[in-house]
Amino acid sequence: MTRIPAHEIAFDFDGVIADTFRLFVELAKKNYQASFEYEDITDYDFLKVIDIEREHAREIIDVLTHRPHEIGLKPNSGAIDVLTRMAGLSPVLLVTAQPIGEPIERWFELNAPGIDPERLRVVATGENTAKLEVLKEEGIRYFIEDRVDTCRLLAPEGITPIVYEQPWNREDHPFLKVRNWDEISTLISWPDAP
């Protein structure tokens, strides 16, 4: 695969940049005495495969959505370094199914102070299927995503999906996979790369 110019790639937030689902598990255990583990989340529609009351799950999701910058949501290892470096080359675009982008922007201010807020754009679509139009409008050719169904929607439209490996997306699929941000970094066309 040829290296990807920074201006041609965009990223999902939850599960790709932020370790959201691991914090979901921690909060479920702490607040509701849940007894499942991160690796038990083997379906993106996680309420199908873990034992938690829907109301409790909704309360946790509400906190993760509206206050990620206040509750210790951690970035995936290496994400901030790679995104900071990318922001030096081109503005970074995040396209998330979350309903609002402002809490993610505040999360970045806290967790990635080296990224100029003017070099970071968060587009909150409110649903996974709405990501396609945003990516097309922005001229994005590659998208790193943890939801395989979204990848299946993008591929026929000329956007190359790259799956960020998680317990819920390990079924067979034809897409390139990355396990971490070191692997993502090797895909980017850096000016100083050999």
Side-chain angles (χ1 to χ4, degrees), residues 31-97:
N31 297 340
Y32 304 108
Q33 295 69 53
S35 60
F36 55 85
E37 301 298 326
Y38 182 72
E39 292 293 326
D40 295 332
I41 306 175
T42 55
D43 191 313
Y44 188 84
D45 188 0
F46 59 91
L47 292 178
K48 291 179 181 175
V49 294
I50 61 172
D51 184 21
I52 188 170
E53 289 189 32
R54 287 187 179 276
E55 181 183 335
H56 294 164
R58 273 194 296 274
E59 288 171 7
I60 296 170
I61 291 167
D62 188 60
V63 169
L64 289 168
T65 300
H66 295 93
R67 298 182 13 234
H69 52 291
E70 296 175 7
I71 58 170
L73 176 59
K74 303 230 180 314
N76 279 322
S77 180
I80 300 304
D81 292 339
V82 173
L83 292 171
T84 301
R85 192 172 171 203
M86 283 185 67
L89 301 176
S90 174
V92 174
L93 177 64
L94 309 181
V95 183
T96 177

Side-chain angles (χ1 to χ4, degrees), residues 7-192:
H7 69 277
E8 292 184 359
I9 190 166
F11 305 89
D12 180 33
F13 180 71
D14 294 304
V16 173
I17 294 170
D19 201 1
T20 312
F21 295 89
R22 201 172 306 273
L23 183 55
F24 178 94
V25 172
E26 289 174 23
L27 293 172
K29 287 180 173 186
K30 178 180 154 194
N31 297 340
Y32 304 108
Q33 295 69 53
S35 60
F36 55 85
E37 301 298 326
Y38 182 72
E39 292 293 326
D40 295 332
I41 306 175
T42 55
D43 191 313
Y44 188 84
D45 188 0
F46 59 91
L47 292 178
K48 291 179 181 175
V49 294
I50 61 172
D51 184 21
I52 188 170
E53 289 189 32
R54 287 187 179 276
E55 181 183 335
H56 294 164
R58 273 194 296 274
E59 288 171 7
I60 296 170
I61 291 167
D62 188 60
V63 169
L64 289 168
T65 300
H66 295 93
R67 298 182 13 234
H69 52 291
E70 296 175 7
I71 58 170
L73 176 59
K74 303 230 180 314
N76 279 322
S77 180
I80 300 304
D81 292 339
V82 173
L83 292 171
T84 301
R85 192 172 171 203
M86 283 185 67
L89 301 176
S90 174
V92 174
L93 177 64
L94 309 181
V95 183
T96 177
Q98 287 205 21
I100 50 174
E102 193 250 342
I104 294 171
E105 293 165 358
R106 293 178 70 190
W107 182 89
F108 266 94
E109 289 169 11
L110 183 68
N111 289 280
I115 297 178
D116 179 346
E118 296 293 317
R119 305 286 287 171
L120 177 79
R121 230 173 105 226
V122 178
V123 178
T125 64
E127 58 185 64
N128 282 299
T129 55
K131 291 179 179 182
L132 174 61
E133 285 309 311
V134 173
L135 295 170
K136 285 170 74 173
E137 286 171 13
E138 296 293 330
I140 296 299
R141 296 185 54 219
Y142 301 87
F143 187 61
I144 299 189
E145 168 69 78
D146 65 323
R147 183 177 181 263
V148 173
D149 285 347
T150 302
C151 295
R152 289 190 179 108
L153 179 72
L154 302 179
E157 299 293 328
I159 297 168
T160 301
I162 300 167
V163 176
Y164 192 93
E165 194 169 277
Q166 293 286 8
W168 52 88
N169 64 26
R170 294 191 180 147
E171 75 269 16
D172 286 339
H173 58 75
F175 310 117
L176 176 67
K177 293 184 280 195
V178 290
R179 290 177 303 225
N180 55 51
W181 279 83
D182 288 339
E183 290 184 7
I184 291 171
S185 183
T186 66
L187 299 176
I188 306 299
S189 177
W190 304 109
D192 53 356

